[in-house]
Amino acid sequence: MSGFEDITYEIEDRAAIITINRPERYNAFRGKTVEELIKAFRHAWADSRVSAVILTGAGEKAFCTGGDVKQRAETGDYGPTESGMFEIGYLHKVIRDIPKPVIAAVNGIAVGGGHVLHVLCDLTIAAETAKFGQAGPRVGSFDAGFGSAFLARVVGEKRAREIWYLCRQYDAATAERWGLVNWVVPQDKLLDEAKSVAAEIAEKSPTAIKFLKQSFNADTDHQAGLSNLAMSALDLFGKSEEGLEGAQAFAEKRPAEFGKFVKA
């Protein structure tokens, strides 16, 4: 499948491999990136040759660092799209709804919206050099939908609150201990391991896998409503003085001055 600018898409054996290809921006996504990811996932959904999807990032530094904060600082949004919308919420839905397991192969930093993407995947395999965490409150952003509520289901309330409130980064060994990733492998073995897991899945009944994924999702599908509410709130917040301060501070490489926004 060709014609993409921000991602690459290929099929190897029974796996579709989707790679976020913006290494110069640490694989941060803009509106166009999200749109292309949605198209790729939908293509994998419809392709009878595909039993599983592998999501990864280009290079060795970053899996995905979330929304392109530099783009937001420059233009006040995440750039133009064909639909005229920034459809990150719909991307989350597609990753959950595609009736095929999605394997995150985390090759480097997974923070912010990139961290949310790997959490939403069915399985996560991490390179030993991978780093995990949130950055939203540091740059004037948040994900109060799947990014927080579903994360709490994965690692528990206390860990999820720590991840969001403190915006620290955690190594792969810690992420594995917390149940945030399934297992950790050497950097040079990461993609081979993901392909091996995809091949194991391909040996199983696709209908059974489909029903199992839908069953796992059913318990948390109500969080989609929270996600819609959160995305609407984030759209408003991102245009506020406080939200813009976070983006500008990041772009200018200075500490954000959030103290003036504290309210009683």
Side-chain angles (χ1 to χ4, degrees):
M1 192 175 182
S2 59
F4 291 129
E5 181 180 345
D6 287 7
I7 72 168
T8 64
Y9 180 94
E10 58 184 318
I11 296 175
E12 186 170 325
D13 296 325
R14 299 297 301 277
I17 304 172
I18 301 173
T19 305
I20 303 172
N21 190 29
R22 304 187 76 218
E24 73 286 356
R25 291 282 178 113
Y26 287 85
N27 295 324
F29 52 71
R30 54 181 177 170
K32 183 180 184 65
T33 319
V34 171
E35 212 160 46
E36 291 184 356
L37 286 169
I38 291 169
K39 288 180 181 178
F41 272 102
R42 287 176 61 84
H43 191 79
W45 187 330
D47 193 336
S48 60
R49 297 173 297 170
V50 173
S51 295
V53 179
I54 298 169
L55 177 64
T56 192
E60 297 184 352
K61 291 183 178 180
F63 169 74
C64 176
T65 53
D68 192 334
V69 182
K70 287 186 177 180
Q71 170 82 45
R72 186 158 69 91
E74 292 165 2
T75 65
D77 58 20
Y78 288 106
T81 62
E82 289 181 14
S83 68
M85 298 183 290
F86 180 56
E87 298 190 271
I88 188 64
Y90 185 58
L91 174 60
H92 293 171
K93 179 175 172 56
V94 169
I95 290 173
R96 281 174 60 86
D97 287 353
I98 182 175
K100 302 171 183 183
V102 181
I103 304 161
V106 180
N107 51 304
I109 301 169
V111 300
H115 189 264
V116 176
L117 291 182
H118 103 82
V119 169
L120 286 170
C121 291
D122 296 278
L123 301 171
T124 297
I125 306 170
E128 291 173 334
T129 53
K131 297 284 186 181
F132 300 85
Q134 272 304 330
R138 181 181 288 135
V139 297
S141 183
F142 58 84
D143 184 334
F146 283 121
S148 54
F150 185 67
L151 176 64
R153 291 293 186 99
V154 175
V155 298
E157 285 277 349
K158 293 291 187 180
R159 291 299 188 192
R161 290 171 191 251
E162 175 186 334
I163 289 168
W164 273 101
Y165 294 170
L166 302 184
C167 297
R168 294 174 177 172
Q169 289 190 14
Y170 304 91
D171 61 24
T174 301
E176 183 180 27
R177 189 172 70 251
W178 287 3
L180 191 58
V181 308
N182 293 90
W183 58 94
V184 179
V185 298
Q187 174 83 46
D188 62 350
K189 304 294 184 184
L190 178 65
L191 201 53
D192 286 342
E193 181 71 12
K195 292 175 183 177
S196 176
V197 171
E200 283 190 64
I201 291 170
E203 296 172 352
K204 312 301 188 296
S205 162
T207 303
I209 294 291
K210 174 182 176 178
F211 277 116
L212 285 166
K213 178 162 182 174
Q214 291 173 344
S215 177
F216 285 127
N217 285 350
D219 186 48
T220 52
D221 270 349
H222 67 280
Q223 292 177 355
L226 293 175
S227 182
N228 291 337
L229 182 66
M231 292 303 167
S232 295
L234 181 59
D235 185 55
L236 292 173
F237 177 71
K239 298 170 184 175
S240 70
E241 184 182 355
E242 183 177 350
L244 291 171
E245 165 61 17
Q248 290 293 343
F250 178 85
E252 295 169 9
K253 298 182 180 180
R254 61 171 173 81
E257 298 177 6
F258 286 129
K260 60 185 176 182
F261 300 107
V262 175
K263 300 177 178 65

